[in-house]
Amino acid sequence: MTISKRVKAKCISSDNNQVTYKSILPTQATSKLLIRENVDTLEKMFNLVTKIHGNKNCLGTREILSEEEERQSDGKVLKKYQMGEYRWRTFNETNYEADCFGKGMRELGVQPRDRVAIFAETRAEWMIAAQGFFKHACGIATIYATLGEDGIVYAINQTEVSVIVTSHDLLSKLKNVIKDLPKVKTIVYFEDQLYKTNIDGLESVNVLPYKEVVEMGKKSGIENTPPNKSDLAILMYTSGSTGNPKGVMLTHNNLLSTMKGFLDSIETKPTDVMLGFLPLAHSFELLAECSAMLAGVPIGYSTPLTLIDSSPKIKKGCVGDAKVLKPTAMAIVPLILDRIVKGINDRVNNGSPIQKTVFNFAYNYKRKWHRRGYKTPITDRIVFKKIGELMGGKMRAMISGGAPLSPETHEKVRLCLCIVMAQGYGLTETSAGGTVMEETDITTGRSGAACTVCLVRLVNWEEGNYFVTNKPYPQGEVILGGENVAEGYFKMPEETAENFFVEDGIRWFRTGDIAEIHKDGSIKIIDRKKDLVKLQHGEYLSLGRIESELKTCQVVENICIYAESTKTYCIALVQPSEKGLSDLAASIGIKESFEQLCRNKEVIKAATKCIADYGKRRGLNKFEIPTKISLCEDLWTPDSGLVTAAFKIKRKEVQNKYKDVIAQIYT
């Protein structure tokens, strides 16, 4: 407990308008190594770790043996994978393949410091291609695999790339928009393990498989052109929660800075294995994986379709990726953690009364002792071990980012999976760096203290009544400063000038997030400027905070809170959990299809009460609890355009889609 409470960052300047905090954590061995070896680019970094870890496993891909039809209990026939073991590339093999790919792309006409685009799912070839481009100082525009066609066209045309690296599965998206991409001349695709790729419809461009490019590189005599630390490494497109995606310009120095900060805060072990799962087009996953490679940690890749035994593409009798890989660490987002918690709750609620009683007793017992700083090894072994086996049985640490993690979810995952559950805070504009919880911090609802490479500043925001003089903790808008802060937005000088600034030689970024800073230097995100609505009677609603609290309710899969300043209450658009809604309806004697349940007035009434009661238990004020709701039967996916690739609500798009529903609810 004493270690958990120790001071992690100290105030280095303050006045009535702002306070600035700096980490007091020591620089760890990996950061010292980079400084000693003068490593300031990702190209130098990967050469160094290859020299150190040579024949150690680096990147792993699970083999798909076949796809077979499987009849379900309801009579439906679904296609499922029969899967084998993980096939690994060593650091030496990965670096050589990256070298060959980079030279192969040069043979196709790519020049040093050209911009290229990677539009593909997370997989080993994504990372290898990126490392290959870095060897020739090329800047990579990363585009989410789940981005809609309009977003794809916008990002590719804005960057003016002539080369796109994609995958077998995403070629169909490019076929649909290729006529709108006049500058694109070459497409390279990652092959599928089972099926031949159909390139019909792409005759206007040069289309080649990834392996062919690698073979071209093996025969090439072209020399590498290493980048400088100030060269563009990644042009990372944000997921666009408030309009068109913005391209954030990240240099090699920016990325190396965040990697140092991560590894100064998070301990790695020689036996660690990382699960690669989130989109590599997301700065959080990209930096987490690069940090893992820097520490010599192998990365095994997975997908939501194959992660666990019950995943949609896993054939009966075949186990999910986690049980084969047995990872010890992964980067994760709150949405996935919320689903894990709901899965745990469902498993407990579906058990016998005795099983439920035993679990609740064990959970409350462990929570009591954990909050005092003690471990409960016997309870873990008897009760919680089986839950941990869901993720392979060796998971020891997860780090959550991308959105605020609710305290309830944070605690439940930490206790039930018997892991270190750390939360971090950062943005694409800060190369995912900002703050990270220490592994010894047993609190919840906080995002940790400043990384060793980053300064955290709070500035007064008068409109929301957030001041650094507030008691008991200073409050204000978060501004992050340091070498991890990006150069700005691509071709958007006005937005860059509005959000970035330089002071005393340090580059800063205004985040728009509101936080309070605690005595140990850790921050807690409590609001967001764009999410604040003032009701008719003067109460302020933080839409994002309410959503964060309510999305763990059993009937909620996702939720968008809406309020108008001329009204005295808020409402909610709810994407219901199909199982949660069915269980709720059954409890009041209604058994219908999911679509019928979403329109049933009695079910809507019951769901409204369920959400209201849950909100009260979560400590929401009366005016923060939605008075009326609508159950939306449509799926909110990145393809639908209603959520980002990181599953954050695209508030404007949701409100536009359901504007008639909103009007009807309010009247």
Side-chain angles (χ1 to χ4, degrees):
M1 180 61 76
T2 303
I3 296 175
S4 177
K5 290 182 177 179
R6 70 179 179 182
V7 175
K8 304 158 185 75
K10 65 178 181 180
C11 180
I12 58 172
S13 69
S14 65
D15 55 37
N16 288 335
N17 296 311
Q18 61 186 37
V19 293
T20 304
Y21 278 70
K22 180 180 181 180
S23 172
I24 62 170
L25 295 179
T27 300
Q28 298 299 318
T30 303
S31 293
K32 292 177 181 177
L33 175 67
L34 295 179
I35 295 168
R36 187 170 64 248
E37 297 292 333
N38 193 31
V39 173
D40 54 9
T41 69
L42 292 174
E43 186 262 352
K44 288 181 181 178
M45 180 276 288
F46 202 62
N47 286 338
L48 176 65
V49 296
T50 299
K51 183 179 177 181
I52 295 171
H53 299 291
N55 291 320
K56 185 178 180 181
N57 285 343
C58 180
L59 303 180
T61 301
R62 194 172 179 198
E63 189 176 13
I64 301 173
L65 303 175
S66 62
E67 187 176 47
E68 303 169 12
E69 291 187 345
E70 181 179 277
R71 188 172 295 277
Q72 308 302 297
S73 57
D74 59 3
K76 291 181 180 177
V77 176
L78 301 178
K79 289 188 175 182
K80 303 272 187 171
Y81 287 147
Q82 181 70 43
M83 303 191 74
E85 297 298 316
Y86 269 85
R87 302 291 180 227
W88 289 92
R89 294 171 171 94
T90 65
F91 277 85
N92 281 332
E93 290 166 342
T94 302
N95 197 23
Y96 176 67
E97 192 171 321
D99 190 67
C100 292
F101 178 80
K103 289 177 178 177
M105 294 305 301
R106 288 290 307 276
E107 293 288 345
L108 289 172
V110 173
Q111 296 300 310
R113 293 182 171 79
D114 274 359
R115 287 191 299 271
V116 295
I118 298 183
F119 170 56
E121 310 91 340
T122 295
R123 54 191 288 167
E125 291 83 0
W126 198 113
M127 182 61 77
I128 295 169
Q131 297 297 335
F133 283 128
F134 292 150
K135 291 176 182 295
H136 298 272
C138 293
I140 303 166
T142 63
I143 301 171
Y144 281 99
T146 51
L147 201 61
E149 290 181 1
D150 290 344
I152 295 168
V153 171
Y154 175 84
I156 291 176
N157 283 339
Q158 190 191 46
T159 54
E160 300 181 284
V161 298
S162 62
V163 173
I164 301 174
V165 177
T166 187
S167 69
H168 167 93
D169 292 331
L170 293 175
L171 270 181
S172 58
K173 276 192 175 182
L174 289 179
K175 288 178 185 178
N176 293 339
V177 300
I178 194 65
K179 63 182 184 302
D180 300 317
L181 305 175
K183 291 188 180 294
V184 173
K185 305 300 179 189
T186 303
I187 294 177
V188 175
Y189 64 87
F190 303 138
E191 299 94 329
D192 185 79
Q193 288 196 44
L194 298 178
Y195 300 109
K196 186 178 179 181
T197 303
N198 179 2
I199 62 173
D200 293 344
L202 290 168
E203 290 79 9
S204 61
V205 294
N206 186 22
V207 183
L208 299 95
Y210 167 84
K211 289 179 182 176
E212 186 176 320
V213 177
V214 173
E215 289 301 317
M216 289 170 60
K218 289 179 181 179
K219 303 169 186 175
S220 174
I222 294 175
E223 295 293 326
N224 292 344
T225 308
N228 300 315
K229 70 176 186 178
S230 58
D231 280 332
L232 178 71
I234 298 288
L235 181 54
M236 182 159 280
Y237 275 83
T238 61
S239 46
S241 58
T242 56
N244 280 328
K246 298 187 182 94
V248 180
M249 298 183 290
L250 302 173
T251 66
H252 286 267
N253 189 49
N254 292 149
L255 302 180
L256 259 297
S257 176
T258 286
M259 290 160 64
K260 291 176 189 174
F262 279 1
L263 292 174
D264 284 343
S265 301
I266 300 167
E267 181 187 5
T268 61
K269 298 183 178 181
T271 55
D272 275 336
V273 177
M274 181 181 178
L275 178 70
F277 181 76
L278 298 178
L280 270 167
H282 192 295
S283 59
F284 178 43
E285 179 72 13
L286 177 64
L287 270 297
E289 289 193 24
C290 286
S291 299
M293 290 196 300
L294 176 55
V297 175
I299 303 166
Y301 289 95
S302 180
T303 75
L305 299 176
T306 60
L307 179 62
I308 58 176
D309 297 358
S310 59
S311 293
K313 292 292 285 187
I314 294 294
K315 191 177 186 294
K316 190 175 182 180
C318 188
V319 298
D321 298 337
K323 283 191 178 176
V324 177
L325 182 65
K326 299 188 184 306
T328 63
M330 71 182 295
I332 200 163
V333 292
L335 179 76
I336 305 297
L337 292 171
D338 289 337
R339 288 176 178 173
I340 290 174
V341 166
K342 286 178 181 178
I344 293 170
N345 291 340
D346 288 343
R347 186 171 177 175
V348 171
N349 292 332
N350 291 334
S352 68
I354 293 177
Q355 289 173 321
K356 196 181 299 186
T357 300
V358 169
F359 176 85
N360 288 333
F361 174 81
Y363 183 79
N364 291 329
Y365 173 83
K366 181 174 183 178
R367 181 170 56 180
K368 178 180 74 173
W369 287 107
H370 183 270
R371 289 178 176 180
R372 296 176 182 178
Y374 294 95
K375 295 182 178 180
T376 56
I378 296 175
T379 306
D380 291 349
R381 189 165 61 250
I382 295 173
V383 179
F384 298 109
K385 184 180 178 181
K386 286 188 177 180
I387 299 175
E389 288 173 354
L390 182 74
M391 293 300 294
K394 291 191 176 181
M395 187 67 69
R396 71 169 188 87
M398 291 183 180
I399 180 168
S400 175
L405 178 62
S406 75
E408 181 188 60
T409 296
H410 193 159
E411 184 171 57
K412 199 145 200 172
V413 170
R414 175 188 278 165
L415 298 184
C416 291
L417 295 184
C418 306
I419 61 171
V420 172
M421 182 71 251
Q423 184 172 192
Y425 170 75
L427 305 95
T428 305
E429 290 88 345
T430 63
S431 314
T435 69
V436 183
M437 292 180 72
E438 285 189 285
E439 292 190 13
T440 54
D441 189 342
I442 62 173
T443 62
T444 60
R446 308 194 306 167
S447 301
C451 291
T452 53
V453 298
C454 187
L455 299 176
V456 174
R457 176 178 291 175
L458 298 187
V459 177
N460 290 344
W461 185 41
E462 296 185 12
E463 185 181 342
N465 292 320
Y466 292 112
F467 299 96
V468 297
T469 52
N470 286 356
K471 303 296 181 182
Y473 305 119
Q475 296 177 327
E477 180 185 0
V478 180
I479 300 180
L480 299 178
E483 290 189 345
N484 58 312
V485 176
E487 294 298 296
Y489 297 120
F490 184 64
K491 293 184 178 179
M492 301 178 78
E494 292 180 2
E495 287 83 353
T496 298
E498 180 182 348
N499 294 286
F500 295 85
F501 66 96
V502 177
E503 181 182 283
D504 297 329
I506 298 173
R507 192 162 184 81
W508 297 83
F509 175 70
R510 299 181 177 93
T511 69
D513 291 315
I514 307 298
E516 62 185 30
I517 196 158
H518 295 173
K519 291 180 180 178
D520 66 348
S522 294
I523 69 167
K524 179 179 181 180
I525 304 299
I526 57 177
D527 216 331
R528 180 153 179 81
K529 289 170 74 171
K530 293 179 181 179
D531 285 350
L532 213 62
V533 176
K534 189 175 183 180
L535 295 179
Q536 192 177 47
H537 291 164
E539 306 99 331
Y540 277 100
L541 283 181
S542 174
L543 305 181
R545 188 179 73 83
I546 298 170
E547 289 161 356
S548 178
E549 296 292 347
L550 295 181
K551 68 182 179 180
T552 51
C553 177
Q554 67 183 57
V555 299
V556 176
E557 184 69 25
N558 214 334
I559 186 168
C560 179
I561 301 296
Y562 179 83
E564 294 180 1
S565 57
T566 58
K567 307 294 183 182
T568 58
Y569 60 92
C570 66
I571 63 174
L573 299 165
V574 179
Q575 181 200 352
S577 160
E578 191 162 347
K579 185 180 187 308
L581 192 65
S582 296
D583 290 346
L584 178 67
S587 71
I588 58 174
I590 299 174
K591 194 171 183 179
E592 296 177 338
S593 70
F594 177 69
E595 290 75 15
Q596 289 172 321
L597 292 179
C598 288
R599 302 168 198 158
N600 188 299
K601 291 183 179 180
E602 289 303 312
V603 174
I604 295 172
K605 183 178 178 181
T608 304
K609 185 178 186 304
C610 178
I611 290 171
D613 291 343
Y614 188 80
K616 289 173 187 175
R617 293 198 300 273
R618 301 290 294 165
L620 294 181
N621 293 311
K622 185 176 180 180
F623 65 86
E624 294 177 305
I625 295 172
T627 303
K628 300 177 182 180
I629 71 168
S630 174
L631 299 177
C632 308
E633 57 195 71
D634 302 314
L635 289 177
W636 294 5
T637 65
D639 284 336
S640 73
L642 299 179
V643 294
T644 70
F647 285 90
K648 294 179 186 177
I649 291 291
K650 295 178 103 173
R651 201 173 298 283
K652 287 183 180 179
E653 281 76 359
V654 172
Q655 291 170 7
N656 286 336
K657 179 176 177 63
Y658 296 104
K659 60 184 178 182
D660 293 337
V661 175
I662 291 170
Q664 188 176 6
I665 296 175
Y666 262 135
T667 56

